[in-house]
């Protein structure tokens, strides 16, 4: 049983609820040994100080976020390990800006996400319509092109929701298979891990990220795994962890990773 959850948000992002401390209490209640806070990084690649208050914390909120997580680490020491992480968007051409933004803090784990594709969000309400207007093959191909660059950038420890554009049920079309394969190869070559996330089970697509066949290909390529819920409410902490562990095992994995100060340690699945 994996007793870790490496993807948990806080109310600072504007679309999560509950007190940060309640996420830790939920982790304790569910018998988790480690919970990594990984709130959305300020939208450093868009103009203005707070380009979308409903999507991410502001730059000004980042120090307070770090402080709150470190205080919870102290408070819960010996009961559950609270890790300092962040979910950082990959934005092509803005790699140095992200490096600078992350540099002042001692992160345990940095998640890399591609949410912004071809000038818009791929996972926001309304994104399903983009598959009609812009073409699903184009969006998926462009998404995977960016994800491969994120993998190779060296900025991230873990890639999140590997097949995110399926969120609303727009499954990856055959035309985008080569781009997907290139992203798998880029992940394997870079040594980055990939999360197995229960969040997809709560969305319209109703399956884990990544899908079972894709997860099997990632495992076969030697990509290490991390377990996550992508919680946006205390009730979601550790949610579906039996499912994600079972998915990892079915995909042929025998281990998952934990992180401290961005250094990975493999742990057995049991
Ligand atoms: Zn979010
Ligand atoms: Fe995300
Ligand atoms: Fe997230
Ligand atoms: Zn996420």
């Amino acid at each position: 049983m994996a007793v870790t959850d490496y993807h948990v948000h806080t109310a600072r992002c504007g679309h999560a609820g509950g007190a940060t401390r309640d996420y830790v209490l939920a982790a304790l209640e569910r018998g988790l040994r480690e919970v990594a806070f990984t709130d959305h990084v300020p939208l450093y690649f868009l103009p203005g100080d707070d380009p979308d208050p409903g999507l991410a914390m502001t730059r000004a909120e980042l120090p307070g976020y770090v402080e709150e997580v470190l205080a919870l680490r102290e408070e819960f020491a010996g009961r559950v390990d609270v890790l300092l992480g962040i979910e950082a968007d990959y934005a092509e051409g803005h790699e140095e800006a992200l490096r600078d933004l992350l540099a002042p803090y001692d992160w345990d784990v940095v998640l890399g996400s591609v949410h912004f594709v071809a000038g818009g969000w791929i996972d926001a309400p309304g994104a399903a319509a983009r598959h009609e207007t812009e073409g699903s093959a184009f969006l998926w191909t462009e998404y995977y092109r960016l994800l491969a660059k994120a993998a190779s950038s060296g900025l991230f420890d873990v890639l999140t929701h590997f097949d995110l554009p399926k969120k609303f049920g727009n499954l990856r079309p055959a035309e985008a298979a080569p781009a997907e394969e290139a992203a798998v190869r880029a992940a394997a070559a870079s040594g980055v891990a990939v999360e197995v996330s229960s969040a997809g089970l709560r969305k319209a697509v109703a399956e884990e990220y990544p899908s079972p066949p894709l997860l099997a290909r990632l495992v076969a390529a030697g990509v290490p795994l991390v377990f996550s819920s992508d919680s946006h409410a205390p009730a979601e902490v550790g949610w579906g962890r039996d499912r994600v562990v079972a998915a990892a095992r079915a995909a042929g994995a025998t281990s998952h990773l934990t992180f401290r100060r961005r250094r990975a340690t493999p742990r057995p699945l049991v």
Side-chain angles (χ1 to χ4, degrees):
M1 185 57 54
V3 284
T4 56
D5 187 343
Y6 268 55
H7 191 156
V8 171
H9 290 275
T10 79
R12 277 182 190 79
C13 69
H15 58 276
T20 310
R21 192 169 182 277
D22 288 342
Y23 287 75
V24 184
L25 290 173
L28 255 183
E29 231 166 71
R30 280 158 215 160
L32 299 190
R33 296 221 186 95
E34 302 183 13
V35 60
F37 282 102
T38 57
D39 210 355
H40 293 286
V41 79
L43 299 173
Y44 63 93
F45 53 98
L46 296 179
D49 277 342
D50 190 12
D52 200 331
L55 289 182
M57 69 177 95
T58 64
R59 280 174 187 274
E61 285 175 303
L62 184 57
Y65 165 70
V66 171
E67 236 169 78
E68 185 181 33
V69 173
L70 295 180
L72 288 167
R73 165 185 293 172
E74 289 294 308
E75 182 186 345
F76 287 91
R79 292 192 283 165
V80 56
D81 291 348
V82 175
L83 307 188
L84 177 64
I86 193 136
E87 180 179 7
D89 288 78
Y90 174 72
E92 192 175 29
H94 299 267
E95 290 84 351
E96 283 313 305
L98 178 57
R99 215 178 291 279
D100 293 347
L101 188 62
L102 298 180
Y105 305 102
D106 199 2
W107 305 105
D108 287 309
V109 63
V110 175
L111 308 183
S113 297
V114 173
H115 302 113
F116 198 78
V117 179
W121 303 107
I122 199 70
D123 59 336
R130 296 186 65 197
H131 288 265
E132 306 301 323
T133 54
E134 294 166 67
S136 212
F138 164 71
L139 288 175
W140 272 96
T141 300
E142 179 63 3
Y143 170 80
Y144 274 133
R145 185 185 70 79
L146 294 169
L147 194 67
K149 288 200 77 172
S152 311
S153 71
L155 285 163
F156 309 112
D157 304 312
V158 182
L159 297 179
T160 60
H161 36 62
F162 201 91
D163 48 358
L164 178 64
K166 74 181 179 184
K167 178 176 177 181
F168 301 108
N170 305 92
L171 298 182
R172 193 263 297 148
E175 300 96 305
E180 183 175 273
E181 194 47 43
V184 170
R185 282 198 308 270
S190 71
V192 74
V194 163
E195 69 170 4
V196 190
S197 167
S198 67
L201 293 163
R202 305 191 296 273
K203 311 297 186 203
V205 66
E207 72 175 16
E208 307 86 345
Y209 301 111
S211 71
L214 177 55
L215 183 58
R217 280 161 51 214
L218 286 159
V219 170
V223 175
L225 306 180
V226 163
F227 293 112
S228 77
S229 66
D230 206 345
S231 295
H232 285 74
E236 292 172 353
V237 174
W239 189 90
R241 84 177 191 275
D242 295 359
R243 298 275 303 267
V244 292
V245 174
R249 194 171 280 124
T254 54
S255 64
H256 69 115
L257 299 184
T258 60
F259 283 87
R260 292 290 185 284
R261 298 183 145 189
R262 308 199 65 181
R263 291 184 50 185
T265 305
R267 309 280 181 191
L269 272 195
V270 285

